[in-house]
Amino acid sequence: MPELEESTAKTKPSFDPNILQDLLPLYYKRLFPHKQFYRWMSYGRSESSVFSNREFSFTLQDDIYIRYQSFETQQELEREICAKVPFKIDIGAVYNIRPKDHRGSTAIQPVQRELVFDIDMTDYDDIRTCCNEANVCQLCWKFMSIACRVLDEALREDFGFEHLLWVFSGRRGIHCWVSDKSARHLDTAARSAIAQYLNVLISGGEGTASRVIIHDEMHHSIRRAYRIVAPLFEEICLVDQNIFGKPEGVRKLLALVQDTSVRAELEKRLKTVPSDSKSVWKEFVAYFDELRMSGNSNRYRRLKFIVEEVILAFTYPRLDINVTKGFNHLLKSPFCVHPKTGKVCIPFNPNIASKFDPTDVPTIIDLLKEVNAFDEKNTVEGEENRSKIKDYKKTSMFKGTVIFEEFLRKLEQTFKGKAAALTDMKMEF
């Protein structure tokens, strides 16, 4: 293992993307979980050609893009990854034929694919004040944590899915891979229906916040989401982000009130309170409490859920529904190294997403230093003993790998014995 320069700074130094080409061969050879990755993509060989008909896409150095790759075995895929050293690996659909044979065939069609969700921090740029664009910190990560909780509960309780893999994207977002067989075999219409069901935000247009519209009754899925987000609204939106602390934020708040006369009255009242988010929000809520008590039932009925709608508008997950709807949409593989940040796309536990720190995710440099440090510390044990410990177990990537292993263990319980049955079927003649 080559020497890696130590840093004494407490904060992580900025990553130099130019060194990635030198470090990736070591990462793929020693740290990438090839065996576990194959276990996931092959689904215990419980379905015919589920691995060999899967598309893998490699992005090489200088943005050279290779699509429609497919492999017969774990060893073949591992050899190709180590030989080509991709800067990014994308996972596509399982097709009716081997993707590598698609040239000359007009019949290539996707037949299954995980149901996937992609949430990007830049979609919160209109409401977060701590960061923007590709930057993310522990304050705005709370939006991601909420999104994870809301979607995880909805997918499990409303659709009965069990096998969800949550992955940090390596820079500014999260991905969810729903790997249940029923999810993988959904057609495009069903994927679109699920995406639309979960996408309750309506775009408010340029410069305004997205809105949520609740009609006469609150749907049970909206009520569940509200139960999750409401207790965190003050901490995240009023304190951490201070969204209504500037005139622009107040304008976004007022834009969510559709009744023009109410909006005009409210605007006058908000000009009389201190310009901090807590004061603005307290006055906003007080106004609608007074409206409710005024006896003007027609006016109030149209705005019955306005407080709940505003809270949801600023906290509900902002989905890229095109990723979910697309049957053959490519999505970055877990355990890739992000080429701009050097951070590993690491799985995390959705139940404790609030404790996940995106600023502390290990980079490829961190991981290789950790392997070096472990090996040097244990040199006295002898070379033979050191080699018995898997390299990823020597690093801070270990926790994410354990989460992946646990996901695989539960997934594999659902198709025990099916691979053998499939083999027997193939032997019948």
Side-chain angles (χ1 to χ4, degrees):
M1 180 84 68
E3 291 296 321
L4 295 161
E5 187 179 330
E6 292 290 336
S7 172
T8 56
K10 289 186 179 180
T11 56
K12 285 182 183 285
S14 58
F15 178 75
D16 179 5
N18 294 317
I19 66 172
L20 194 58
Q21 59 183 326
D22 298 322
L23 302 181
L24 276 174
L26 285 169
Y27 175 77
Y28 284 130
K29 183 179 180 182
R30 300 191 63 174
L31 292 171
F32 188 88
H34 295 280
K35 184 177 180 181
Q36 295 94 324
F37 186 69
Y38 172 77
R39 282 168 56 195
W40 177 32
M41 291 286 96
S42 64
Y43 288 96
R45 295 178 292 115
S46 58
E47 298 175 67
S48 178
S49 305
V50 70
F51 180 75
S52 59
N53 285 13
R54 167 81 70 170
E55 178 189 2
F56 296 95
S57 168
F58 291 173
T59 303
L60 309 184
Q61 189 177 4
D62 299 324
D63 288 329
I64 298 171
Y65 195 46
I66 310 175
R67 279 201 66 176
Y68 297 110
Q69 296 182 103
S70 56
F71 307 93
E72 300 299 318
T73 64
Q74 174 199 328
Q75 291 76 18
E76 186 184 349
L77 173 60
E78 184 174 344
R79 270 198 312 271
E80 197 69 5
I81 289 174
C82 291
K84 285 196 165 66
V85 196
F87 276 44
K88 187 174 72 155
I89 302 171
D90 284 308
I91 300 173
V94 177
Y95 287 87
N96 59 331
I97 63 171
R98 284 166 173 72
K100 63 185 177 184
D101 299 331
H102 79 284
R103 295 187 187 282
S105 172
T106 57
I108 184 168
Q109 295 290 335
V111 295
Q112 67 164 285
R113 193 254 193 291
E114 294 77 14
L115 181 66
V116 293
F117 295 88
D118 180 11
I119 307 174
D120 196 307
M121 200 72 250
T122 54
D123 290 328
Y124 292 78
D125 280 354
D126 64 321
I127 57 173
R128 61 174 177 157
T129 59
C130 56
C131 304
N132 61 10
E133 297 179 349
N135 301 305
V136 61
C137 69
Q138 287 178 278
L139 293 181
C140 52
W141 175 259
K142 293 177 184 180
F143 287 116
M144 294 284 103
S145 173
I146 281 180
C148 182
R149 285 182 58 192
V150 169
L151 286 179
D152 195 79
E153 289 198 24
L155 290 166
R156 293 179 190 278
E157 294 181 19
D158 294 350
F159 297 98
F161 298 135
E162 299 179 17
H163 306 289
L164 281 62
L165 180 66
W166 288 93
V167 182
F168 173 59
S169 70
R171 191 178 197 183
R172 61 188 181 206
I174 54 179
H175 299 155
C176 177
W177 299 78
V178 186
S179 299
D180 302 58
K181 184 176 181 180
S182 58
R184 289 184 279 123
H185 285 272
L186 291 169
D187 61 17
T188 301
R191 290 167 195 267
S192 296
I194 292 174
Q196 295 292 353
Y197 175 89
L198 294 169
N199 188 46
V200 305
L201 291 173
I202 300 169
S203 176
E206 189 70 29
T208 61
S210 297
R211 62 169 50 97
V212 174
I213 297 176
I214 301 171
H215 298 287
D216 294 337
E217 294 294 332
M218 192 183 288
H219 188 275
H220 72 88
S221 66
I222 302 297
R223 192 181 305 115
R224 180 183 54 238
Y226 183 75
R227 171 179 53 79
I228 293 170
V229 304
L232 299 166
F233 175 75
E234 179 176 331
E235 173 192 334
I236 297 174
C237 295
L238 307 186
V239 178
D240 291 348
Q241 302 297 332
N242 191 22
I243 294 174
F244 311 135
K246 292 183 178 179
E248 181 186 357
V250 175
R251 283 195 296 272
K252 287 176 180 175
L253 174 62
L254 289 168
L256 297 176
V257 180
Q258 297 296 289
D259 188 302
T260 54
S261 62
V262 170
R263 186 164 64 242
E265 289 177 16
L266 192 54
E267 186 173 8
K268 288 179 183 177
R269 284 184 54 161
L270 293 183
K271 287 179 179 177
T272 67
V273 301
S275 57
D276 67 272
S277 288
K278 280 190 174 183
S279 299
V280 170
W281 181 245
K282 183 179 179 181
E283 189 65 24
F284 183 90
V285 174
Y287 175 87
F288 288 101
D289 283 342
E290 292 170 17
L291 185 61
R292 176 170 54 86
M293 301 295 289
S294 69
N296 190 337
S297 58
N298 287 335
R299 201 179 191 200
Y300 172 70
R301 189 171 62 247
R302 296 196 300 272
L303 297 161
K304 178 181 176 182
F305 291 110
I306 186 63
V307 170
E308 292 85 350
E309 288 174 354
V310 170
I311 289 173
L312 287 162
F314 284 99
T315 55
Y316 192 85
R318 300 180 171 212
L319 301 174
D320 183 345
I321 63 170
N322 290 325
V323 172
T324 304
K325 290 160 67 174
F327 206 148
N328 56 351
H329 191 98
L330 294 167
L331 192 63
K332 184 165 49 184
S333 168
F335 297 101
C336 277
V337 176
H338 196 288
K340 293 287 195 301
T341 65
K343 292 180 179 180
V344 177
C345 302
I346 204 84
F348 64 89
N349 184 343
N351 298 320
I352 51 173
S354 60
K355 296 182 180 178
F356 184 87
D357 182 358
T359 66
D360 197 40
V361 171
T363 67
I364 186 172
I365 296 175
D366 297 329
L367 296 174
L368 295 175
K369 283 180 181 176
E370 288 166 2
V371 173
N372 269 347
F374 184 96
D375 288 349
E376 287 171 8
K377 184 178 178 181
N378 292 275
T379 299
V380 291
E381 299 290 333
E383 189 73 29
E384 187 176 340
N385 287 340
R386 285 192 291 126
S387 65
K388 291 179 181 178
I389 302 173
K390 298 285 186 184
D391 281 328
Y392 69 82
K393 292 184 177 181
K394 305 171 185 177
T395 73
S396 50
M397 190 173 105
F398 182 43
K399 186 183 294 185
T401 312
V402 168
I403 291 169
F404 190 41
E405 286 269 12
E406 180 63 13
F407 160 78
L408 290 172
R409 185 186 65 78
K410 292 179 179 177
L411 180 64
E412 287 169 344
Q413 287 176 350
T414 66
F415 41 70
K416 273 186 176 177
K418 292 183 181 176
L422 191 63
T423 303
D424 292 342
M425 283 172 56
K426 286 183 177 179
M427 291 178 66
E428 289 179 3
F429 55 91

